Amino acid sequence: MIRVNNLYKHFGKLEVLKGVTAHIREKEVVVVIGPSGSGKSTFLRCLNKLEECTSGEIVIDGIPLNNDDTNINAVRREVGMVFQRFNLFPHMTALQNITLAPMKVRKLDKQEAEVQARALLRKVGLEDKADVYPDQLSGGQLQRVAIARALAMRPKIMLFDEPTSALDPEMVGEVLAVMKDLAREGMTMVVVTHEMGFAREVGDRVLFMDEGIIMEEGPPDRLFNNPQNPRTKGFLSKIL
Amino acid sequence: MDWHLMVKSIPILLNGAVLTIELSAAAVAFGTVIGLSIAMGRLSRHKLLAWPAGAYVDFFRGTPLLVQIYLIYFGLPQILNFTPPDSYQYIAGVIALSLNSGAYIAEIFRAGIQSIDRGQTEAARSLGMTQAQAMRYVILPQAFKRVVPPLGNEFIAMLKDSALVSVISIEELLFSGKIIVGRTFKPFEIYIEVAVMYLILTLTISRLVNYLERRLAKGDTR
Ligand SMILES: Nc1ncnc2c1ncn2[C@@H]1O[C@H](COP(=O)(O)OP(=O)(O)OP(=O)(O)O)[C@@H](O)[C@H]1O
Ligand SMILES: [Mg+2]
């Protein structure tokens, strides 16, 4: 589903990704962990080309990203992204946030888009918030609307960049619950998170990223209980 | 003080004030269209668009408005080789004020657009929207609210700067005053009166802008 080979990314002189290789299968849930500044967000953002990689190869669902012929908007339609800071559109209601892209990009008519949006709001437990503006929603609700918004494009892959890091602790659970549902439904997911419980429960594989490379990877139980790389050990001892 | 003259002059000056308002409103209206296009150009990644847009802003903000007025009123007919029609001064005046205003408004839009969090564009792009769609449906609606107060200030600046077109015989507020002074040789009374009228205009507009600003601040997030 996602094939990343030898990915490099520089910001000017700063080397952020230094040869990342990762293959992610369909329906796999991959959790990415690692210290701050190790390049996790950059890696995720390269996957839908919010960030242009310097060199290397990314193939999403058979479509090479760095090929000039590839219509990047077409790829982005298949790859949903959820951000740490929600990035809901503040001038639109929850419903409008969700219907905008399907109407403008997928060319659904308004009614179809709204039916779908209401179904998605129900799915994330916010059907009563359809006509509410983002400034009236709590962090956890905002993030659930953001997930619904991404799902409205019917993506094949969902990327999550620390979706619960900006939330008050009591709201983390409601967002993780939605993500767990998604995982169970067979969504291909790449999740940057520090929620080890989530990683253990629904993660198929954990990638430990440090200094711009994937230092170690493995199934969550193996990686958390028996890390091989000293840097993984060091990192885990700090956060577990 | 010749109070009688001052009272008698009110209707003529009011006529001038109406033209001043019309000129400024036209300049800001056309300037908004120009400014939005120039701002888009400046923010474009294409050098071929960004560079001329930048040069435009530099030129119209970096040279005196009076010179711009002369260039368009006297210079254009010469270089384009046409005989100015009768009321060409109005056309030239509106063109000059609009072009000038467009440069300032371009910067207002640019700042407004850049003040919108980058995450908004990223969210829109990650949903498959093109750059143009993200701009149109996500960025501009938010930016428009933020540019209303500075646009109001630009209108106030234009009310004052439009006095410069009196040099090409447009009978706006200042020119109307000049005519009365020419007939009566009472510059103090008349120019004080003219000044007071400008003051009333600018204070009224600035009140209005403040009111709008408060209204928008209340619903800032939508
Ligand atoms: N647009 C950018 N321009 C310049 N440097 C950047 C840019 N984006 C990220 N960086 C730098 O790249 C490095 C990796 O950033 P990245 O956000 O990928 O790390 P991260 O692993 O997600 O960290 P965190 O856990 O803090 O989110 C950091 O040093 C960051 O300062
Ligand atoms: Mg990050």
Side-chain angles (χ1 to χ4, degrees), chain A residues 40-41 84 161-162 192:
Chain A
K40 306 181 297 291
S41 297
Q84 181 172 358
D161 192 0
E162 305 203 32
V192 175

Side-chain angles (χ1 to χ4, degrees), chain A residues 11 14 16 34-43 51 84 161-162 194, chain B residues 118:
Chain A
F11 289 111
L14 182 71
V16 178
S36 183
S38 57
K40 306 181 297 291
S41 297
T42 305
F43 170 62
E51 219 67 83
Q84 181 172 358
D161 192 0
E162 305 203 32
H194 298 295
Chain B
R118 261 193 57 192

Side-chain angles (χ1 to χ4, degrees), chain A residues 45 48 50-51 72-74 76-77 79-81 83 85-92 97 100-101 104-105 107 133-136 149-151 153, chain B residues 45 116-131 133-143 145-146 218-222:
Chain A
R45 295 158 59 82
N48 67 353
L50 281 181
E51 219 67 83
I72 183 59
N73 296 313
R76 285 195 183 125
R77 268 177 250 162
V79 185
M81 185 155 195
F83 302 85
R85 286 175 45 245
F86 327 128
N87 297 343
L88 284 189
F89 308 136
H91 58 302
M92 295 180 182
N97 262 278
L100 179 68
K104 301 304 174 197
V105 180
K107 310 289 180 202
Y133 283 89
D135 60 355
Q136 306 285 319
R149 178 177 69 176
L151 291 175
M153 289 302 287
Chain B
R45 271 167 306 161
I116 306 297
D117 187 73
R118 261 193 57 192
Q120 293 287 307
T121 312
E122 294 188 344
R125 299 302 309 269
S126 78
L127 291 164
M129 281 185 240
T130 62
Q131 186 69 45
Q133 286 174 324
M135 190 53 93
R136 167 142 175 236
Y137 300 114
V138 176
I139 305 304
L140 283 182
Q142 297 182 61
K145 264 177 221 162
R146 299 200 188 172
K218 261 190 225 154
D220 191 29
T221 49
R222 63 187 67 154

Side-chain angles (χ1 to χ4, degrees), chain A residues 5-24:
Chain A
N5 283 323
N6 218 14
L7 187 67
Y8 281 81
K9 172 69 189 172
H10 310 208
F11 289 111
K13 280 218 169 87
L14 182 71
E15 278 201 315
V16 178
L17 300 180
K18 304 173 196 165
V20 173
T21 297
H23 295 192
I24 294 163

Side-chain angles (χ1 to χ4, degrees), chain A residues 35 208 210 215-216 222-223 226-238:
Chain A
F208 171 65
D210 196 8
M215 284 271 179
E216 184 168 0
R222 210 276 293 139
L223 194 113
N226 188 16
Q228 304 299 308
N229 189 304
R231 302 205 58 125
T232 319
K233 278 181 199 160
F235 176 74
L236 289 173
S237 70
K238 264 180 263 158

Side-chain angles (χ1 to χ4, degrees), chain A residues 151-162:
Chain A
L151 291 175
M153 289 302 287
R154 309 219 166 274
K156 296 181 176 144
I157 298 166
M158 285 283 283
L159 309 175
F160 294 84
D161 192 0
E162 305 203 32

